[in-house]
Amino acid sequence: MHVTTADKRATFRKMHESGCFILPNPVDVGSAKALQHLGFKAIASSSAGFAWTIGKADNHVTVEDVCQHLAALSSAVDIPVNADFEGGFAVEPDKVADNVERGVRTGVAGLSIEDSTGDKDKPLYDRALAVERIKASRKAIGDSGTLLVGRCEAYLWGVTDLKLVIDRLTAYADAGADCLYAPGLKSREDIAAVVKAVAPKPFNLLIGASGLSLQEAQDLGVRRISVGGSLARAAWGGFMRAAKEMAEKGTFTELGGGYPGGELNKMFG
């Protein structure tokens, strides 16, 4: 049975109403299909994971690259896809809005917008501009049913000011974000404080170094869990270990740890 984009978006919104779910991050169509095969109910793209597949560093892909990738993921699976849409590939709100419209047309069920500038000397957009960028994204999404995720990147850039994060996330919620996200939070206390501050809107946790399980995150009130580029790094870990062994030692023992080809053919058959 073909699942329509509207169905996926409705399903995704429903998933954010209660409980807690894992939103794993594939890097391509094959890994997206594998995650669906394993029973995950939704997936999210990874800006880093995708960039590495085309030989680029994270945050060095174009909006064209990303929209092609998102369209491929969305058409390959019957489950909702959340887009890591970085900072909207523009600074000015109206240009962010134009790109968000393009992102929505790929068939994604959700789309996130970050507030980081990429400049380590001034890592975050001014608060007022960051809020306007969320408002513009909300307007661009319109009545499509696509879920908007507002992200505060402060902790990833070394700005470990919880009051600033909470202030920004609540402002993004007021500006129209449906779900809030602050990657880099580690302590249970910080996570619980942010969950409480943005409630009743759902909070997305980047599992990272928090060490929490799905159940522990749910107990703190987290609604969904992302792993970012971690699955991609895990795959690259196996690839690079095997390739380095061949290059440096001329031996092939690491190849023995690969996933069985027959199983992969069965999964994709």
Side-chain angles (χ1 to χ4, degrees):
M1 183 186 74
H2 175 66
V3 181
T4 67
T5 297
D7 290 339
K8 292 177 187 177
R9 289 171 177 168
T11 296
F12 201 44
R13 285 189 167 273
K14 190 76 176 171
M15 290 174 69
H16 287 75
E17 292 177 4
S18 61
C20 185
F21 63 94
I22 300 172
L23 190 64
N25 304 79
V27 300
D28 56 15
V29 165
S31 53
K33 287 187 172 185
L35 292 169
Q36 176 176 277
H37 176 80
L38 289 171
F40 289 100
K41 303 303 182 187
I43 56 176
S45 68
S46 159
S47 63
F50 166 60
W52 299 330
T53 67
I54 59 172
K56 294 186 178 182
D58 191 15
N59 302 122
H60 285 75
V61 296
T62 66
V63 68
E64 288 80 11
D65 290 333
V66 169
C67 285
Q68 287 178 13
H69 172 60
L70 294 173
L73 293 184
S74 298
S75 62
V77 295
D78 293 327
I79 55 178
V81 175
N82 190 96
D84 179 344
F85 213 61
E86 301 187 28
F89 305 95
V91 175
E92 299 85 357
D94 59 332
K95 293 180 180 176
V96 171
D98 289 342
N99 289 334
V100 167
E101 283 185 13
R102 292 180 64 178
V104 168
R105 288 198 297 270
T106 67
V108 294
L111 182 147
S112 64
I113 294 292
E114 304 169 7
D115 60 4
S116 57
T117 64
D119 178 0
K120 64 180 185 296
D121 295 324
K122 191 179 183 298
L124 303 178
Y125 289 115
D126 289 337
R127 182 186 185 277
L129 175 58
V131 170
E132 287 304 312
R133 286 159 47 85
I134 295 293
K135 284 183 179 176
S137 300
R138 172 79 272 155
K139 189 174 180 182
I141 284 172
D143 59 1
S144 67
T146 307
L147 188 129
L148 176 61
V149 183
R151 290 178 54 148
C152 179
E153 304 292 287
Y155 271 54
L156 290 188
W157 286 87
V159 184
T160 52
D161 181 342
L162 191 66
K163 285 185 179 178
L164 177 148
V165 169
I166 288 174
D167 173 66
R168 285 192 172 230
L169 291 184
T170 52
Y172 300 163
D174 290 341
D178 302 296
C179 179
L180 291 310
Y181 188 6
L185 298 182
K186 295 178 183 178
S187 76
R188 292 170 185 256
E189 294 75 21
D190 286 355
I191 295 165
V194 173
V195 166
K196 183 179 179 182
V198 303
K201 292 197 174 180
F203 178 70
N204 183 104
L205 175 68
L206 178 66
I207 203 66
S210 70
L212 298 176
S213 67
L214 172 63
Q215 185 60 55
E216 289 168 334
Q218 179 168 316
D219 290 345
L220 291 176
V222 170
R223 189 56 44 82
R224 65 184 216 183
I225 295 171
S226 299
V227 299
S230 295
L231 275 175
R233 289 195 300 274
W236 277 103
F239 178 91
M240 292 302 289
R241 281 192 299 272
K244 277 188 169 183
E245 182 195 5
M246 291 189 288
E248 296 170 4
K249 300 179 182 178
T251 55
F252 308 93
T253 55
E254 286 286 347
L255 295 178
Y259 201 75
E263 290 299 311
L264 291 170
N265 287 334
K266 200 184 303 180
M267 183 167 61
F268 296 133

